[in-house]
Amino acid sequence: MDYPENTVYLVGHAKVASDNPISISYGIFFLPFVVDLHTHQIVDVSCNAILDISRDFVRSLLVGCDLLDGLDEAIHRVRSRYFGSSQKALVAALRDANGRLRDILSAQQ
């Protein structure tokens, strides 16, 4: 997939419970994003979930959200619809990604 010039790639990270399959396979939960720098809209997202359906569902929840000013809405979508064992890690990774986007935007000013 080709992404427009006005997009950036960033990754949010979070710890997961030790009994979570993600912890066993990867050690940490990560949530990579492609974000439009002008609108802050999530253009694409994935995660290191074990199952394809999990990655697809996360993508369906978050693509189109504003990662900068729409963080509360994105978290609400996760908390109200995603009931996998990584829900808390997903929220923490969203918060981390929001902070990384803020850092990127600050550095460009």
Side-chain angles (χ1 to χ4, degrees), residues 43-55:
V43 174
D44 203 359
V45 63
S46 189
C47 64
N48 63 329
I50 302 300
L51 302 173
D52 291 341
I53 191 170
S54 301
R55 287 187 293 275

Side-chain angles (χ1 to χ4, degrees), residues 29-51:
F29 182 79
F30 61 88
L31 196 60
F33 292 90
V34 176
V35 178
D36 183 304
L37 280 176
H38 302 301
T39 65
H40 314 128
Q41 185 177 51
I42 298 169
V43 174
D44 203 359
V45 63
S46 189
C47 64
N48 63 329
I50 302 300
L51 302 173

